[in-house]
Amino acid sequence: MSAARSSFWPGGAAGTVLRIVASRLVQAVLTALVLASLCFAFVQALPGDAALRIAAARSGDDRVTAESVARVREQEGLDRPLLAQYASWIGRLAQGDLGHSLVSRQPVWSELAEHGRFTLGLGALGWLLSYALALPLGIACGFRPGGWLDRGTNALAVALASMPSFLVGIGLISLFALTLRWLPPAGFRTGAHMVLPALTLALGLAAFSVRIIRNAVVEVRGAFYMTFARIRGRSAGSAFLHHGVRNAAIPVATFAALQFAYVVDGFVVVETLFNYPGLGDLLVKSLLARDVPMIMGAGMVVGLMYAAVNLLADLACIGLDPRRLAGRSA
């Protein structure tokens, strides 16, 4: 196994890669803890009675009584000092337990897993759809910078990037669901219900990535090694395919990881708009109900997912350009 690994990471670079992975894992755990702690502080800073909101979420606003609120406060230990509540959560976390939802009484992990599978499917579809749009357009614009396609794509990208996700989603619902009646406007019962939410995410992602891909292609095509390849008789397309794709992919891979932050922000808005039962919908409902363990658990999961995506992007960039290891191993 070591022989195979050293052939992939030459010159003892495997040790450096392992150190990078270990360092990133430690950073990921610390970041997730900080994020969950901030979620706890922000939710506790909200005005109003948390026990009242939890009792209302359990039984409905019109069935809340003073007795039910007092019962929730006592059962969930909400009358304890905040520091004691936080210390209790940290103690359970050290044992691998995220606690239970204050509303559904179900374990936080099972709720996150149930809703997370919907979000992962939607996010993956939106991300793939965005690059299905951005890759051919970005490469075509990079081969003809300043042309009519480049100018038109730039104008469309600026317009989409300046529009909030919910406005793009409302426009798609109006066109494809209410006017043309091709797709359902909201909910999740069939695969067709994923199209409009995924397209809303994809358009927002493609608006940025198409310009990154276009600029990477323009920069690579102007490099000396590309000119040298053309002098040796290769066509523009052949030279780019053999010498440019690998170099142009590096900034695109880095940016694709950064786009995960947009996806996190986007799925909260998109899932709420389309009544899609994912993590974003769960997070909004948990915030309204003051379901602190669920909010803290969701914060930790999002932080760990963000760190994992960035680690994968780093490894992809190192794989594309092993010279990046030189500075890290020094």
Side-chain angles (χ1 to χ4, degrees), residues 258-296:
L258 293 176
Q259 280 188 313
F260 184 73
Y262 176 88
V263 173
V264 171
D265 179 52
F267 74 62
V268 172
V269 176
V270 168
E271 288 179 2
T272 304
L273 177 65
F274 288 94
N275 194 25
Y276 189 84
L279 278 179
D281 183 62
L282 175 68
L283 191 56
V284 170
K285 289 176 179 173
S286 300
L287 277 170
L288 293 175
R290 304 285 190 86
D291 195 346
V292 177
M294 190 63 71
I295 297 168
M296 295 172 74

Side-chain angles (χ1 to χ4, degrees), residues 21-185:
V21 172
S23 171
R24 287 304 186 91
L25 289 177
V26 173
Q27 291 176 16
V29 172
L30 293 176
T31 301
L33 277 174
V34 170
L35 194 56
S37 301
L38 288 175
C39 289
F40 177 84
F42 291 153
V43 173
Q44 297 298 342
L46 291 174
D49 187 351
L52 175 63
R53 297 309 316 155
I54 294 166
R58 285 183 181 180
S59 56
D61 289 332
D62 53 344
R63 295 183 178 178
V64 176
T65 63
E67 290 75 17
S68 64
V69 173
R71 188 163 53 249
V72 166
R73 198 188 313 280
E74 182 182 359
Q75 285 177 348
E76 305 302 342
L78 300 178
D79 49 353
R80 294 178 299 164
L82 292 180
L83 194 57
Q85 295 180 40
Y86 179 74
S88 175
W89 183 80
I90 290 292
R92 286 196 303 270
L93 181 64
Q95 302 172 20
D97 180 14
L98 283 178
H100 63 271
S101 165
L102 300 182
V103 176
S104 68
R105 309 289 295 164
Q106 296 296 315
V108 170
W109 271 120
S110 69
E111 291 270 345
L112 292 176
E114 173 65 22
H115 291 264
R117 64 188 180 93
F118 290 102
T119 295
L120 283 178
L122 177 63
L125 182 60
W127 191 84
L128 290 174
L129 192 56
S130 75
Y131 277 91
L133 296 171
L135 268 176
L137 277 176
I139 292 174
C141 293
F143 270 80
R144 293 286 187 274
W148 65 268
L149 181 61
D150 188 28
R151 294 197 299 272
T153 303
N154 185 42
L156 186 60
V158 169
L160 284 173
S162 62
M163 293 174 67
S165 299
F166 75 91
L167 206 54
V168 176
I170 290 173
L172 293 177
I173 291 173
S174 300
L175 177 61
F176 293 106
L178 302 182
T179 303
L180 300 176
R181 298 183 182 277
W182 288 354
L183 294 166

Side-chain angles (χ1 to χ4, degrees), residues 3-19:
R5 190 170 56 192
S6 59
S7 63
F8 188 77
W9 304 107
T16 306
V17 172
L18 290 177
R19 283 196 297 274

Side-chain angles (χ1 to χ4, degrees), residues 210-224:
V210 69
R211 303 310 297 171
I212 296 295
I213 295 170
R214 180 260 187 203
N215 292 338
V217 171
V218 169
E219 183 177 348
V220 165
R221 290 189 70 234
F224 172 76

